[in-house]
């Protein structure tokens, strides 16, 4: 008796949270919360809490199976919608941020090629050993500019 009361209270609280979430225009999350909150009352109604209490011929038990079916339908529907949208909210946000990084700057005269293509266009230079080689490069640059 007390387990049924606790499960009913948990389900009612979950449905209240789902209603608040739906009010905030987050319908996919609200449907998922509603599905989770229907599970405890569905388990009570099916008789899992009282396993052998006339489960086979109880109208309440079959109604509980119906409630569990509705919960399963909500789960599968929200997953299908999530897959069609392209993943979770976090994944969509990351994809949008990546798309912004790949766009051309407003003052650029040519499109940016990205970090991978710049390395391919530069000629590979062998690392030089010794500090005198480094200074000779600097001297060559200074002479080129007339300094």
């Amino acid at each position: 008796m007390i387990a049924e009361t606790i499960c009913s209270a948990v389900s009612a609280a979950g449905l209240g949270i789902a209603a608040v979430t739906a009010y905030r225009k987050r319908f996919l999350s609200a449907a998922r919360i509603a599905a989770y909150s229907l599970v405890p009352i569905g388990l009570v109604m099916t008789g899992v809490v009282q396993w052998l209490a006339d489960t086979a011929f109880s109208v309440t038990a079959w109604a509980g199976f119906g409630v569990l079916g509705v919960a399963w339908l909500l789960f599968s529907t929200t997953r299908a919608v999530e897959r069609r949208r392209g993943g979770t909210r976090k994944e969509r946000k990351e994809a949008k941020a990546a798309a912004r990084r790949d766009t051309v700057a407003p003052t650029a005269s040519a499109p940016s090629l990205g970090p991978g293509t710049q390395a391919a266009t530069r000629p590979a230079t062998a690392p030089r050993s010794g500090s005198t080689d480094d200074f000779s490069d600097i001297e060559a640059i200074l002479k080129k500019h007339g300094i």
Side-chain angles (χ1 to χ4, degrees), residues 41-67:
I41 195 71
L43 291 174
V44 167
M45 292 172 80
T46 57
V48 172
V49 177
Q50 295 177 348
W51 182 251
L52 296 174
D54 298 335
T55 303
F57 300 107
S58 173
V59 175
T60 306
W62 289 107
F65 283 117
V67 168

Side-chain angles (χ1 to χ4, degrees), residues 92-142:
R92 288 192 307 271
K93 195 180 275 187
E94 289 173 359
K96 192 181 290 184
R100 284 188 192 138
R101 279 183 261 138
D102 293 340
T103 59
V104 177
T107 60
S109 60
S112 59
L113 299 176
T117 57
Q118 286 179 347
T121 59
R122 291 185 196 157
T125 57
R128 296 182 181 138
S129 61
S131 64
T132 58
D133 290 336
D134 293 335
F135 289 119
S136 65
D137 289 342
I138 294 171
E139 288 176 9
I141 292 171
L142 292 174

Side-chain angles (χ1 to χ4, degrees), residues 15 30-43 45-46 61-79:
L15 289 174
R32 188 169 293 140
I33 292 169
Y36 279 120
S37 66
L38 289 174
V39 171
I41 195 71
L43 291 174
M45 292 172 80
T46 57
W62 289 107
F65 283 117
V67 168
L68 286 175
V70 168
W72 177 82
L73 183 67
L74 284 171
F75 277 127
S76 60
T77 304
T78 56
R79 294 295 294 167

